[in-house]
Amino acid sequence: MRVIDAFVESLDVIEMGFDKARTAATGRRPYHPGDLLKLYIYAYLNQTSSTRRLEK
């Protein structure tokens, strides 16, 4: 959904309090908070609470 992508990209996730958006130089990177927010909004708009349904 391009609308969700454009909306989340316009937000400053670091300013919103997601301090894990900047990763350290060591270790594996976590998922970007913006990507998880996109998934959450998509699931909410499609009234899906099941991760198995989201996977489909």
Side-chain angles (χ1 to χ4, degrees):
M1 301 266 274
R2 293 180 185 175
V3 173
I4 296 171
D5 189 39
F7 173 71
V8 173
E9 292 297 325
S10 70
L11 300 175
D12 186 10
V13 291
I14 296 173
E15 186 177 305
M16 292 174 61
F18 295 103
D19 55 348
K20 302 287 187 210
R22 273 192 233 125
T23 59
T26 59
R28 296 182 73 174
R29 293 185 189 171
Y31 289 112
H32 191 274
D35 294 337
L36 297 176
L37 181 60
K38 290 175 194 178
L39 182 62
Y40 180 78
I41 292 172
Y42 177 81
Y44 180 79
L45 290 175
N46 288 301
Q47 299 176 349
T48 304
S49 60
S50 169
T51 55
R52 292 187 188 266
R53 287 187 191 155
L54 279 175
E55 184 180 3
K56 289 181 184 180

